[in-house]
Amino acid sequence: MTLYDIPLHTLTGEPTTLGAYRGQAVLLVNVASKCGLTPQYAGLERLQKTYGDRGFTVLGVPCNQFAGQEPGSSEEIQAFCSATYGVSFPLLAKTEVNGAGRHPLYVELTKLADADGEAGDVKWNFEKFLLSPAGEPVARLRPATEPEAPELVAAIEAQLPA
């Protein structure tokens, strides 16, 4: 089984998988609407606009595990993201990224170490995982890393399909 095979759901409840993004670089980000890092949505949207037509997508994964900062329904999350930040990238259903209920996708993603060599639990909202076009996790950036930070932009550019 690969990451492409793990069952997921869109924010609207439709079944999907990462297989829908086969051949693209994907930046998975656990997002929240009521977090001090929520303004990162703006940078994530700029990444989507900059690289979206070059085989890249941001994939937002709402999560309410960090101080209850994503309490809304799917409809509320979509309305907030659209109205406040003009989000055009896809969003998945609310997902647990840590603990006993950790989604199988994050069971796999959290095996990847960050630049300091630390793997394990997601630290907070807006932790970022970059997948290669082959569906392999290739970079993990902690929440404080801004979407347009040079190290993240370089990692994305290195993964864009030829």
Side-chain angles (χ1 to χ4, degrees), residues 51-152:
Y51 298 108
D53 62 352
R54 294 176 58 194
F56 169 81
T57 193
V58 174
L59 188 57
V61 185
C63 179
N64 195 39
Q65 287 189 286
F66 302 100
Q69 294 181 344
E70 188 58 276
S73 67
S74 294
E75 294 78 17
E76 290 168 332
I77 294 167
Q78 185 65 57
F80 171 82
C81 289
S82 296
T84 310
Y85 293 101
V87 167
S88 65
F89 55 82
L91 297 165
L92 295 178
K94 230 187 259 191
T95 301
E96 290 192 19
V97 301
N98 288 336
R102 186 187 323 245
H103 191 281
L105 174 62
Y106 277 85
V107 168
E108 295 305 314
L109 291 177
T110 56
K111 293 175 182 175
L112 183 67
D114 62 15
D116 294 329
E118 186 180 348
D121 283 353
V122 170
K123 298 289 188 193
W124 197 254
N125 300 309
F126 292 89
E127 190 148 327
K128 299 151 194 78
F129 292 89
L130 182 62
L131 305 182
S132 74
E136 297 293 328
V138 294
R140 179 180 189 167
L141 297 106
R142 297 297 181 172
T145 303
E146 290 290 330
E148 296 167 299
E151 64 271 26
L152 180 51

Side-chain angles (χ1 to χ4, degrees), residues 30-55:
N30 63 300
V31 295
S33 301
K34 300 185 182 307
C35 175
L37 299 176
T38 299
Q40 286 192 22
Y41 267 121
L44 293 170
E45 181 60 20
R46 285 190 296 271
L47 288 176
Q48 182 67 37
K49 295 282 190 220
T50 300
Y51 298 108
D53 62 352
R54 294 176 58 194

